Amino acid sequence: MKTLTRLSLLCVIATAAAACAAPPGEPVQGLAVAIKAPLSDNPFDDPETAFVAMVAEGPDIPADKLQVVKPYSPNMPLTLPAVPYGYGRGMRIELYSKDVNGQPTFPVRGRGRTVPKDVRHGETFLVHAFVTKTNAFSAPFNNANQEVITDGRVGASVIAMNNEQVLIAGGADPVAGATDVHDVKSWGNFKTVPLRYDIDTRKLIDLSAAPFSTSLSQGRAFMAAARGSDGIVALTGGYTLGASGPEASKMVEYFDPKDSKIKQAVASDKPNLQFARAHHTVTRMFDNNNYFMVIGGKGPESQASRTWEIWHPEQGRLAFGELSIPRWNHATVRLPEKDGGYMMLIGGENDNGTINNFEVIRYDGSGNVAHKHNNKITCCLPSGTCASDAECNAWKSQPGYSEYKWQPLLRELNGGGRTQAAAAYVHNTTPRYNLVYIVGGFEDTQKKKPMTRVDVFNIETGKWVDSVQQLQAPRGAPIMGWSTAGAQRGQVIVTGGVDAQGKTIASGELLSYDSTSGKVMREWSSNELPNGGAVFGQAASLSTGHVFIAGGASSGDSGLKASATIRLYNPK
Amino acid sequence: MNPAHSMWSRTLAWIALVSFAFTTLVAPVSLRPIGIDFVSGQAFAQMAGKDQLAIIALARRDGVGTVATARIEEYLRAMIEAGSVVQLTPQSVVKSGRPKFVRSARATQRSNKATKNLAKADQALLAARVMIDEKKNLKTAAKLLSAAIKRYERYFVELVDFTKLVDAYARASQAQLMLGKRGSAATLLTKAVVLQPTLVTNRGQKKMHKLLTVVRGRLAKRKKGTIQVECKTPGAEVYVDGVKLGSAPAVSKDLDAGTHYVQVRHKEAEPWGKSFTVRGRRISVNARLEMMPNPKHNIHVSVQLSKIAPFAQKGGFHTRRVRNYSLMFSRQIQARYLLYAVVSKNVRGLELHMFLFDSKAKKFAALDMVPFNSNLSNMQMKILEAEGHIRRAIQAFPSKKEVVAQPAVYTKTRAAAGAPAIVRTPPPLATTTPTTRPSTTPPSTTPPSTTPPSTTAGSGTPAKKPVSPSVRPTAPTYGPATKPKTDPYAGLLKNTDQDKSIVKTWWFWTALGAVVAGGVATAVILSNQTPEPSPNFKVDARVQP
């Protein structure tokens, strides 16, 4: 009886616990996915397409764990009944053909992703997956009426924002009869109207129209643009139309995605750059801040090419200082570092010819920039005054000065000097690599010797990656972008550019790094592009894995022509 | 005791018991979603060239039900198949003991030879490049390049990146030019341009650049040709000079006069290749692929599944015999890994013990035990955990958990069944392998006893049932499995009354009444309760291209 009493007590507790802990309910709909495709080159119309797969993706969801694969039929439904709530939830849609046994087989014929969403209890999102053919350029719309950007966008800034929308700002049209892509006078009709592309809805929106009604203060092209940590896009310098033709600009404006407006650093008395600059670069400096470093470039004042400036959307121009050597038409990539502030300046040109080195400079967060200068480390105060070693030592006693132990890096480029090369920091975690791709460019400042070189620098080992790979064709000023999603992450697409005669190259090629062999390989090349070749266009990497390519001009027998189409490249 | 109090206690106890049973055993199974649709992950893994893993058998011990075992096995298979680390060997292959597709030994040998030669060619090319860039040892560089070219040309069927061959031609041409042999340089450069019309040279080398212009001019005067490739095998892919043209039939037009290389590949066939000299005409070629043989009738099955499946029931993974049989079977079905597993039971629920055999390492690894609720209500999460253990073991094989003694799960159950556990004092560390085989004590045939178990390790645990004489004595073990453990069943033997029929007891009928009342009460509670939100959400999609 004693035992029974104990048991009864235990069971009372158990019953109470069981009654309180109700069983989980049925999963409710968290994502409703509308699967779309372009009207032309629709991968669903491909007779080889036999299966559709939907795979859940997220930072904590193992790859290909949650998936459903079904034979394809029009308007078919797909359901994943239980995907864990969490951050960055997205769906990957893939199309497969069938093998001799009727099973899905590689290669993937079409792929699309939804924009990742943070899905919490009680929330339902309608998202779109835009499925386009793999290893192909597709129109980014499923509406034939929106195939074309209504005006030319040569030298436009094309930047993917945090909200997975793409900003297309500025740009120019070729002047009638112009034939020389390297002559700034070939461009006119500089644009003020910004455009915004939304991959989720596949719409291109004119931001100058209501309800946004925003524009650049002055028409500009060949600006340098970079995205800030909170999604703003800084649009710096570039060319604008002056009294005697295109001239470099000091103007800095930024696009604020919160209200979709173009703004200036109005709270500051120094909203613009100190020096007018074109052919320069701008780079965000830290992971969690909106400090931008504007580097080099060319302008009416000679200081532009040998100085850097720091700009902030609220504080305007903060500081400027000297570079080790003047540079323009160089490339700059931001390197990872927990303290931030590392930037690699690659090649470029100055009055002495093309530059045959890259230089890593660092902003230490206290207003000091260190760089290599005649084998000596110099430093600059927030006022922009730079100094020699001796003066730096003297400044050590001043408040705010911080000792920096970092040794700057200056390295000779493989293959000699190059200007107007394309460069990108391409990185991955599994397999791990941190690479800087430097592709194409010109050997000479006259832009008559385009290069086929593909040089890849491993920033972890500090060595050049061994590669026997060259570009299929010599490309000056190529357009380069890389895929940032899924298994295709790290594939680099190189298109367009110009040859020795200044003619645009109508081909594209895909490069990738094989971590096993440690070499860069060409995965694919094509002699035909749907929008022809282009130069001075730009590419932006989308979270859907696509590379968005817009703007630029093509050169033909009848002169220069603005490339009016935009394309999505879907990697292999 | 107060009779009213006693009555109240009894009623409350049984209501509670039934409610508890209902909410924890029945409801979760029926309400929780399974949630994963595993389809054709195998096809993906196969294409990715993953190692194969065969699940040999899921044995069960300690009275574990067949349904529970089958469910665990079904989900484990699905989870491994959906995973990306290994490819799950089809059950038909495991049962028959015959692999689905086997590359012939001759083809494998041929492929290995080609791979080695191409690797040597790569090395020669890289070494020669350095010499040429440094303008040193040009004759050696020319010889290296000549050897590399011969290898590339001879084994081009397996060559994927034809830019290597083009680079070798171009570099060899450059070396010949630097050695003053313009004729040879032109010939080699022509071969390079024929393969890659867009070839460019470093503009710093003016002689080379000039030669390239001359070669291009010569080629432009010659008539271009066409190669048409046909293949009856569906899914065959055609490559000309390393450039993929697509599925056969395919045509490559405007080819410069010279040697061109045609490759046809299919995932279930040996690669096919042939070189052609194009001289301004159309060449038609019909590729006949040698399919990998289906060895249904060719493979001699020396080890049947029935021979090795009992190992999952008996253990013995530390013995050479089990390792040898496993090795033979894994080679026979061409699976790198074999997975033996056993489902056992303890007081808390079920346990899945897995033992993974790696045929390369020729070793067994014991994976971490995966506990399940007795009603398998947490099966989905636990199978994920099990798949994780398998994945990690494969990635880190051989692990520290190599099986060196009979696993505890086998010794434990035997002890619970009545055999006195023979746990010998481990020898000193210096003599991990005993030089003399320790004698084993025959199993005790002591009848069932209700005596409370002794707490002394190794003195034997009172058993519920008599031990069958056929049970062999436990082998002495010195690994982790030999650690003395308290018998998890010991507590259950308390107050066991085996002589009284259950239906004759007063409390049985009280319990039955309480079950009904409790079930109704719980159902009412549950029906009025808002279910806890599911940790998962559902995704619905519709194709609207």
Side-chain angles (χ1 to χ4, degrees), chain A residues 233-480:
Chain A
V233 177
L235 303 161
T236 67
Y239 283 111
T240 186
L241 197 60
S244 56
E247 57 186 38
S249 169
K250 294 179 180 180
M251 175 76 73
V252 183
E253 289 172 293
Y254 69 96
F255 177 77
D256 190 345
K258 293 186 190 78
D259 52 6
S260 296
K261 295 280 187 190
I262 301 277
K263 299 174 182 175
Q264 266 197 299
V266 287
S268 167
D269 58 344
K270 298 173 285 184
N272 295 324
L273 299 175
Q274 176 81 11
F275 304 112
R277 297 170 193 267
H279 308 286
H280 61 297
T281 59
V282 62
T283 314
R284 173 163 58 108
M285 298 172 67
F286 303 105
D287 282 338
N288 297 309
N289 223 320
N290 278 335
Y291 288 94
F292 294 89
M293 181 174 263
V294 183
I295 297 168
K298 206 173 181 187
E301 297 160 289
S302 62
Q303 295 96 320
S305 59
R306 57 184 172 84
T307 54
W308 52 263
E309 298 187 47
I310 294 171
W311 181 89
H312 188 272
E314 290 171 4
Q315 302 166 56
R317 184 181 72 247
L318 285 171
F320 71 95
E322 289 184 6
L323 293 169
S324 59
I325 51 170
R327 287 178 198 261
W328 62 86
N329 279 333
H330 56 284
T332 302
V333 293
R334 177 172 167 268
L335 302 180
E337 169 65 32
K338 69 181 174 61
D339 298 327
Y342 281 86
M343 275 155 283
M344 182 190 269
L345 280 55
I346 300 160
E349 62 188 280
N350 57 26
D351 291 333
N352 297 325
T354 53
I355 299 169
N356 69 343
N357 64 40
F358 73 72
E359 180 180 8
V360 179
I361 66 171
R362 184 196 179 210
Y363 180 84
D364 70 0
S366 302
N368 303 306
V369 173
H371 53 78
K372 193 89 172 177
H373 180 57
N374 296 330
N375 297 321
K376 290 179 181 176
I377 300 171
T378 62
C379 57
C380 301
L381 286 180
S383 62
T385 312
C386 299
S388 64
D389 279 359
E391 287 170 310
C392 281
N393 288 331
W395 286 351
K396 283 181 181 174
S397 57
Q398 291 191 11
Y401 182 88
S402 59
E403 181 80 30
Y404 41 84
K405 296 172 183 173
W406 168 76
Q407 291 295 314
L409 178 66
L410 189 74
R411 190 70 69 87
E412 197 170 330
L413 288 174
N414 272 350
R418 69 206 298 176
T419 184
Q420 288 193 335
Y425 167 53
V426 177
H427 50 99
N428 196 22
T429 48
T430 310
R432 181 189 166 92
Y433 54 78
N434 287 283
L435 307 170
V436 176
Y437 275 70
I438 307 169
V439 173
F442 294 97
E443 286 180 41
D444 60 336
T445 54
Q446 291 76 37
K447 318 291 187 299
K448 298 295 180 190
K449 295 179 180 175
M451 301 175 80
T452 56
R453 292 199 67 91
V454 175
D455 291 304
V456 179
F457 188 75
N458 187 334
I459 64 168
E460 290 190 351
T461 61
K463 292 178 181 173
W464 294 99
V465 171
D466 181 25
S467 170
V468 294
Q469 195 64 60
Q470 293 188 326
L471 291 176
Q472 191 186 33
R475 296 175 191 273
I479 300 169
M480 182 166 83

Side-chain angles (χ1 to χ4, degrees), chain A residues 77-88:
Chain A
L78 284 168
T79 299
L80 267 178
V83 177
Y85 284 104
Y87 297 103

